Amino acid sequence: MELLFNYIDGVDNFLNDQWLKILLLFNHDDRLMFTFGTSLVHTVSFLIGNLFYMYVDCTGKPAWMLKYKIQKDKHFPVEPRRFFWCCAVVLFNEILSCVLIYLSYPIMKYTGMSCDQPVPQLWKMYLLYMGFGYLNDASFFFLHRLMHHPSIYKYCHKMHHEWIAPISIAAVYSHPIDHIFANFVPYFIGPILLGSHLSLVWWWIAIAQIDTCGHHSNYHLPFLSSPQYHNYHHVK
Ligand SMILES: [Zn+2]
Ligand SMILES: [Zn+2]
């Protein structure tokens, strides 16, 4: 048991050391860390979550990926025109996300976001992360359901469902209004309501971004969470 506590202390110390380097890099400028740093994490994690799937979607290689594909007869490889249009919409929404991150800085500070040392201990990070997850799921469920309301659906959310067999990058192929309410708000509702250290906000966003790419990828790879539920939602 003592060994475990020593190990956890070691991880806490390591995270604090790394965070100090980031603080020095940004010259302790909270606004710059949140706006630029969070935008960078948001964009880079989305790219990391997509690069391999994009290669497979564009080339149809490696051929063994086909055995993990859920809708095997669709987009292997994907039609180039459709793919590039999807990329253009995604780029627009990514820029929109960066603008929203910039605008949300005063709210994050008001509700208690901290950027200084020390970073929260691992157990506290874990509890907050779970809280972010529950608030994300609950708000996504409610807002996504709202987007499926017949009087709203055809104006906003229908665009996202043009991809009946989604590809990973289509995770944010959405109408801007849909992107704000069904993508951006659920991500940030937890950090806003619970208050958080910025380092945890970055962890949360990076993991959530990679996760949503997998859920839209149309591939169920071993050891990764199943995208079948969301895939079924796109089919129906
Ligand atoms: Zn939907
Ligand atoms: Zn979707």
Side-chain angles (χ1 to χ4, degrees):
M1 203 61 171
E2 195 183 330
L3 203 65
L4 178 66
F5 285 131
N6 286 342
Y7 179 74
I8 292 172
D9 280 347
V11 174
D12 282 335
N13 290 337
F14 174 78
L15 292 177
N16 265 302
D17 289 346
Q18 302 314 307
W19 191 249
L20 179 61
K21 290 177 188 166
I22 294 172
L23 282 170
L24 293 174
L25 184 69
F26 284 91
N27 204 19
H28 291 261
D29 185 334
D30 288 8
R31 181 185 288 274
L32 188 65
M33 284 178 77
F34 179 74
T35 53
F36 179 74
T38 308
S39 297
L40 194 66
V41 169
H42 195 275
T43 306
V44 171
S45 57
F46 188 72
L47 276 175
I48 290 171
N50 273 302
L51 278 178
F52 175 65
Y53 292 123
M54 283 169 80
Y55 173 76
V56 179
D57 290 334
C58 290
T59 63
K61 295 175 184 167
W64 52 261
M65 278 293 283
L66 190 57
K67 77 176 170 198
Y68 298 112
K69 196 164 173 65
I70 299 167
Q71 297 182 63
K72 292 187 191 302
D73 55 331
K74 304 272 171 56
H75 310 314
F76 197 79
V78 69
E79 307 76 26
R81 275 186 67 174
R82 203 167 177 207
F83 180 77
F84 286 119
W85 170 238
C86 182
C87 288
V89 172
V90 167
L91 180 63
F92 179 86
N93 281 338
E94 196 54 41
I95 294 168
L96 177 60
S97 291
C98 294
V99 173
L100 293 170
I101 287 168
Y102 180 82
L103 294 175
S104 58
Y105 175 73
I107 305 169
M108 295 291 290
K109 282 306 268 184
Y110 181 75
T111 57
M113 181 188 70
S114 151
C115 301
D116 296 326
Q117 279 193 309
V119 298
Q121 289 173 298
L122 274 184
W123 66 269
K124 199 171 176 185
M125 293 257 251
Y126 177 74
L127 288 180
L128 276 167
Y129 186 89
M130 295 291 283
F132 292 178
Y134 284 124
L135 286 168
N136 175 73
D137 288 354
S139 57
F140 176 76
F141 176 82
F142 173 75
L143 290 166
H144 186 198
R145 187 133 192 144
L146 189 69
M147 287 296 164
H148 275 272
H149 190 280
S151 61
I152 300 175
Y153 179 78
K154 61 177 182 263
Y155 300 111
C156 289
H157 194 55
K158 189 178 178 185
M159 185 175 173
H160 183 64
H161 281 280
E162 284 172 14
W163 287 90
I164 292 166
I167 58 174
S168 66
I169 200 169
V172 285
Y173 177 84
S174 313
H175 187 283
I177 302 292
D178 190 23
H179 181 63
I180 292 170
F181 288 100
N183 294 337
F184 188 85
V185 170
Y187 271 13
F188 281 85
I189 197 94
I192 286 173
L193 290 183
L194 300 181
S196 171
H197 194 269
L198 181 58
S199 61
L200 180 58
V201 177
W202 287 0
W203 279 113
W204 160 251
I205 287 172
I207 294 169
Q209 285 280 73
I210 292 169
D211 199 44
T212 194
C213 297
H215 280 176
H216 284 87
S217 69
N218 219 336
Y219 293 97
H220 188 184
L221 294 171
F223 309 114
L224 295 183
S225 62
S226 170
Q228 310 238 9
Y229 178 76
H230 198 73
N231 197 282
Y232 181 77
H233 177 66
H234 275 259
V235 173
K236 298 295 176 186

